Amino acid sequence: MEGNLNRLLELKKWRNSVLPIVRVSYVMQEENKYEQEEFFEKWKDKVDIIDYQCLIDYKDWNVLKEPEELPLPEIDFQCLNPFREILINYNGDIFPCCNNYGYYMPIGNIMEIDLVQAWNSDKMKGLRNSILNKSLCKVCRNCVAHNSIQ
């Protein structure tokens, strides 16, 4: 794959073109969490975008732990999902995000409330405030703890 990507980058340079925009993604996991700098150095002068993502392991997502059981990572975590999206599933149920933990926080159903009502609901406002105040609710705390590499 790397050979193909390098060939694409050579063609882009040869054509003196800004397109296609090339992005590489680094999926952080326990086995490679100390290799971020090496990845960055390898691609920084070659590609347009370097993206970092955490590997999401959903093996225990269906069990919500109590907040005191969940040490939060020592990072300044800011979840943007409730500020920019809501999810409507196949039966019309509305959730604050597309993460599996979002299913623990139903907002309503599209057959009963419209999107504006869902977006401006007390549940969504409370969720946004808890994120801004860094007083994460049980569901969000589980999400952050589960999806972070310590």
Coordinates of all heavy atoms in Angstrom, one line a residue, residues 5 21-25 47-51 53:
L5 N 0.8 4.5 -2.6 CA 0.7 5.9 -2.1 C 1.8 6.8 -2.6 O 1.6 7.9 -3.0 CB 0.5 5.9 -0.6 CG 0.3 7.3 0.0 CD1 -1.0 8.0 -0.5 CD2 0.1 7.1 1.5
I21 N -6.3 15.6 -2.9 CA -5.8 15.8 -1.5 C -5.5 14.5 -0.8 O -6.4 13.6 -0.9 CB -6.8 16.6 -0.7 CG1 -7.0 18.0 -1.3 CG2 -6.4 16.7 0.8 CD1 -8.1 18.9 -0.8
V22 N -4.4 14.3 -0.3 CA -4.0 13.0 0.2 C -3.9 13.1 1.8 O -3.2 14.0 2.3 CB -2.6 12.6 -0.3 CG1 -2.2 11.2 0.3 CG2 -2.7 12.5 -1.9
R23 N -4.6 12.2 2.4 CA -4.6 12.1 3.9 C -4.1 10.7 4.3 O -4.5 9.7 3.7 CB -6.0 12.3 4.4 CG -6.1 12.2 5.9 CD -7.5 12.3 6.3 NE -8.1 10.9 6.5 CZ -9.3 10.7 7.0 NH1 -10.1 11.6 7.3 NH2 -9.7 9.4 7.1
V24 N -3.3 10.6 5.3 CA -2.9 9.4 5.9 C -3.5 9.3 7.3 O -3.6 10.4 8.0 CB -1.4 9.1 5.9 CG1 -0.9 8.9 4.5 CG2 -0.6 10.2 6.6
S25 N -3.8 8.2 7.8 CA -4.4 8.0 9.1 C -3.5 7.1 10.0 O -3.1 6.0 9.5 CB -5.8 7.5 9.0 OG -6.7 8.4 8.4
V47 N 2.3 14.5 2.5 CA 0.8 14.4 2.3 C 0.2 15.8 2.8 O 0.9 16.6 3.4 CB 0.2 13.3 3.1 CG1 0.8 11.9 2.6 CG2 0.5 13.4 4.6
D48 N -1.0 15.9 2.5 CA -1.8 17.1 2.8 C -2.3 17.1 4.2 O -2.3 18.1 4.9 CB -2.9 17.3 1.8 CG -2.5 17.4 0.4 OD1 -1.7 18.3 0.1 OD2 -2.8 16.5 -0.4
I49 N -2.7 15.9 4.7 CA -3.4 15.8 6.0 C -2.8 14.6 6.7 O -2.8 13.5 6.1 CB -4.9 15.7 5.9 CG1 -5.5 16.9 5.1 CG2 -5.6 15.5 7.2 CD1 -6.9 16.8 4.7
I50 N -2.5 14.7 7.9 CA -2.1 13.6 8.8 C -3.2 13.5 9.9 O -3.4 14.5 10.6 CB -0.7 13.7 9.4 CG1 0.3 13.8 8.3 CG2 -0.5 12.5 10.3 CD1 1.7 14.1 8.8
D51 N -3.9 12.4 9.9 CA -5.0 12.2 10.8 C -4.7 11.2 11.9 O -4.0 10.2 11.6 CB -6.3 11.8 10.0 CG -7.5 11.7 10.9 OD1 -7.7 12.5 11.7 OD2 -8.3 10.7 10.7
Q53 N -6.3 8.8 15.0 CA -7.5 8.2 15.5 C -7.2 7.2 16.6 O -6.1 6.6 16.5 CB -8.3 7.5 14.4 CG -8.7 8.4 13.2 CD -9.2 7.6 12.0 OE1 -9.3 6.4 12.1 NE2 -9.5 8.3 11.0

